[in-house]
Every structure is written in structure tokens, then in C-alpha cells.
């Protein structure tokens, strides 16, 4: 009886952790949009995010490195981690922050959420993996949903800006998909938390270098309210959800975590409505549901295999 009770408590804790992490992750776009109310560009906003996240990432990497079962990272692994950090976190984040200057937070989250379908498409072109009937249906649902949401945003903004923003967010989703494909073999060897901490820390260093080269130093001086937002962005919207989701997956498994995590796009719509005044139409919700259905369908086989 006590074992069952303990197991249920562990499951509920896992659900709460993944749900909280998913909502905090999805709120990132809203907080980024709030930083754009101050006189600064995408690179500066990203720079501040990584400034506040970096100390925590170093601490997590150090903690993981000190674990007794931590395997030594080989030279080739370091090259892999550096490349994936640049592609999956630096480029993906930079494209994301640029895109958010032009489109709504709601549309950003919907487009980003299609990354599992991009993995399928990339696998077809890169590895020649055949696209199954179920996956074709998923692709149709997903991109129909994106088209519906995109058409709605066109009604509330300039077509050129919305298209440009959507293009950059698509690039962000694409680079993150490449990261997922490239990190699949190394994560089992060194551990997910360890790999993520190192990759994010490396991407932070690249962001710092990028800002040092071409950043606007005048934009570093902002009202104190901005620094509070930047702290929120670097901690509650970056480090905390990464830790929560990782801990939650250990308790409930990746399949359950993926289902819970699908709350992200919908929560972004409502958070953007409350904090940014972005419109939510019936077609926005329909488009989001299409995307969720398509991504959920395409993820089932992969998730089931991972849980085994």
C-alpha cells in the first residue's frame, strides 16, 4: 500500500514538474516580446538571457561532472557538443529572437512546435528514411494548422513583417531539428542533463562573442525593470524549465512528458493574450489543435520506442 502511494506521489510530482516546465518554456516568447518594449534589438535581448543563465549552466555542468557514474568526455564528443551547442542553441535562439521582433508570440510557439515533423522531413532527405502513411497524415495536419494560424496573423500585422518573422522562426525550428538529429547518439553516452548544460553554456559563450563583435554597447544600459525581465528570461524561462522537465521525465517517462508538454502552444496563446494583448481567434485555436494533433501523431512511434 505504501509503495503504491509512494509511486502515485512520484507520478504526480513528475506531472507537476513537466507541466510547470512546459508552461515556463512557452512563456519565454512572451517575456522576450516584453523586452522589446525597451530600446534594444534581438542580439542584446539574447545576450542578457544568456548572461543570467550562464552561471547556473556552469553549476549544473560541474554538478553532473562530479557524479560517480559520469563517463569521461572524449575529444570527438567535445567537438560534437560544441557543434550542437552552436547549431541547436545559439543559432536556434538567435533566429527565434529575431523572428519574435516581427510576429506574435502565439504564432512563434506554433511554428516552433513543428520540429518533430521537420526531423522526419530531414531524415527523408539526409538518410533516405521512407515517410510512412501515418507520417504523411501528420505532416498534412501540422502544416495545415500552421497555415491557418499564419493566415490569422496576416490580418493583424503587415504581411511582409509576418512573413519575415515566420521565416526566421522556421529557421529556428529547423536548426533545432538538426540539433536533435545530431545529439541522439551522444546523449546516451554522457547523459541528457550534462549534455544540455554543456551545449547551452557553449552557446552562451558564442552569444557573448557575437555581441562583443557587433553588439550595441549603448543597449546595455536599460531601466531597472528591464533587468528584472532579463533575469526572469535567463532563469525561470531557461534554466528552471530545463531542470524541471528533466526531473519530470525521470518520474513519468518521455511518453507522458511529451503529452503533458503539448500544453505549450496553447498556454502561449493565452499568456500572450493576458500580458501582450495579442488577439486569440477561433481559427488560432483551430490551427493550434491541428498542429498539436499532427505532432502528437508523428511522435507516438518515436516516443514508444524510446520508452522501451
Amino acid at each position: 500500500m505504501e509503495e503504491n502511494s509512494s509511486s502515485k506521489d512520484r507520478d504526480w510530482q513528475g506531472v507537476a514538474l513537466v507541466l510547470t516546465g512546459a508552461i515556463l518554456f512557452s512563456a519565454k516568447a512572451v517575456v522576450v516580446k516584453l523586452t522589446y518594449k525597451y530600446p534594444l534589438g534581438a542580439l542584446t535581448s539574447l545576450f542578457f538571457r544568456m548572461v543570467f543563465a550562464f552561471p547556473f549552466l556552469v553549476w549544473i555542468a560541474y554538478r553532473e561532472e562530479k557524479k560517480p557514474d559520469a563517463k569521461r568526455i572524449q575529444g570527438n564528443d567535445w567537438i560534437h557538443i560544441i557543434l550542437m551547442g552552436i547549431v541547436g542553441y545559439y543559432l536556434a535562439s538567435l533566429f527565434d529572437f529575431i523572428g519574435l521582433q516581427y510576429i506574435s508570440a502565439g504564432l512563434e510557439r506554433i511554428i516552433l512546435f513543428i520540429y518533430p515533423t521537420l526531423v522526419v522531413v530531414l531524415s527523408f532527405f539526409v538518410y533516405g528514411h521512407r515517410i510512412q502513411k501515418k507520417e504523411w497524415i501528420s505532416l498534412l495536419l501540422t502544416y495545415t494548422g500552421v497555415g491557418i494560424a499564419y493566415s490569422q496573423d496576416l490580418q493583424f500585422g503587415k504581411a511582409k513583417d509576418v512573413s519575415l518573422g515566420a521565416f526566421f522562426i522556421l529557421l529556428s525550428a529547423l536548426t533545432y531539428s538538426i540539433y536533435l538529429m545530431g545529439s541522439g547518439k551522444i546523449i546516451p553516452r554522457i547523459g541528457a542533463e550534462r549534455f544540455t548544460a554543456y551545449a547551452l553554456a557553449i552557446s552562451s559563450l558564442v552569444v557573448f562573442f557575437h555581441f562583443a563583435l557587433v553588439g550595441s554597447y549603448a543597449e546595455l544600459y536599460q531601466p531597472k525593470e528591464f533587468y528584472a525581465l532579463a533575469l526572469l528570461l535567463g532563469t525561470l524561462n531557461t534554466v528552471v524549465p530545463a531542470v524541471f522537465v528533466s526531473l519530470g521525465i525521470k518520474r513519468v517517462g518521455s511518453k507522458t512528458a511529451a503529452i503533458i508538454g503539448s500544453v505549450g502552444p496553447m498556454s502561449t496563446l493565452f499568456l500572450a493574450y493576458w500580458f501582450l494583448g495579442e488577439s486569440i481567434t477561433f481559427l488560432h485555436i483551430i490551427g493550434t489543435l491541428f498542429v498539436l494533433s499532427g505532432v502528437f501523431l508523428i511522435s507516438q512511434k518515436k516516443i514508444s520506442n524510446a520508452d522501451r
Side-chain angles (χ1 to χ4, degrees), residues 21 43-44 64 97 174 197 291:
L43 179 58
T44 306
E64 291 297 312
F97 275 57
L174 182 62
V291 171

Side-chain angles (χ1 to χ4, degrees), residues 266-286:
M266 197 63 78
S267 68
T268 302
L269 281 178
F270 288 103
L271 288 171
Y273 171 76
W274 288 324
F275 292 102
L276 301 173
E278 292 184 3
S279 299
I280 302 177
T281 68
F282 175 72
L283 287 179
H284 271 128
I285 296 175
I286 293 298

Side-chain angles (χ1 to χ4, degrees), residues 36-246:
Y36 289 155
K37 293 186 177 182
Y38 297 88
L40 79 167
L43 179 58
T44 306
S45 182
L46 178 59
F47 172 81
F48 274 110
R49 178 201 189 191
M50 304 321 293
V51 162
F52 286 109
F54 187 69
F56 297 98
L57 296 171
V58 172
W59 175 76
I60 293 172
Y62 176 79
R63 183 197 64 185
E64 291 297 312
E65 202 65 47
K66 289 300 180 180
K67 287 184 176 179
D69 58 345
K71 295 180 180 179
R72 185 172 179 272
I73 300 177
Q74 304 297 325
N76 288 338
D77 288 337
W78 278 116
I79 294 173
H80 209 94
I81 292 170
I82 291 170
L83 288 175
M84 290 302 100
I86 292 172
V87 173
Y89 287 114
Y90 163 65
L91 286 178
S93 296
L94 182 62
F95 291 147
D96 183 35
F97 275 57
I98 293 173
L100 278 168
Q101 294 179 116
Y102 302 101
I103 64 172
S104 67
L107 181 59
E108 178 259 9
R109 182 53 46 179
I110 290 172
I111 296 175
L112 279 185
F113 202 68
I114 70 171
Y115 67 85
T117 68
L118 291 176
V119 171
V120 171
V121 174
L122 286 173
S123 296
F124 170 75
F125 285 109
V126 177
Y127 301 119
H129 291 173
R130 185 180 176 186
I131 299 178
Q132 304 297 324
K133 182 179 178 181
K134 185 178 180 180
E135 292 171 332
W136 278 115
I137 296 172
S138 174
L139 293 173
L140 179 62
L141 284 170
T142 302
Y143 296 116
T144 298
V146 171
I148 292 171
Y150 171 76
S151 66
Q152 285 298 285
D153 268 47
L154 286 176
Q155 296 182 21
F156 300 104
K158 294 180 180 178
K160 184 178 179 181
D161 287 348
V162 174
S163 298
L164 182 62
F167 171 73
F168 275 107
I169 302 303
L170 184 59
L171 283 180
S172 177
L174 182 62
T175 48
Y176 187 67
S177 301
I178 295 171
Y179 158 79
L180 289 177
M181 292 176 65
S183 60
K185 292 182 179 179
I186 189 174
I187 285 178
R189 289 205 301 273
I190 70 173
E193 290 177 52
R194 192 177 176 206
F195 175 79
T196 302
Y198 275 123
L200 268 169
I202 287 165
S203 74
S204 300
L205 294 176
V206 178
V207 170
F208 300 157
F209 181 69
H210 186 173
F211 185 84
L213 286 180
V214 300
S216 171
Y217 289 90
E219 292 180 356
L220 295 177
Y221 301 96
Q222 299 290 340
K224 60 182 180 181
E225 293 82 7
F226 167 81
Y227 299 114
L229 276 177
L231 175 62
L232 184 71
L233 184 61
T235 55
L236 282 181
N237 299 127
T238 302
V239 178
V240 172
V243 173
F244 277 17
V245 170
S246 179

Side-chain angles (χ1 to χ4, degrees), residues 288-306:
T288 303
L289 292 176
F290 265 76
V291 171
L292 291 179
S293 299
V295 171
F296 181 76
L297 182 65
I298 211 167
S299 301
Q300 286 308 290
K301 185 178 180 181
K302 300 177 187 301
I303 294 170
S304 298
N305 289 339

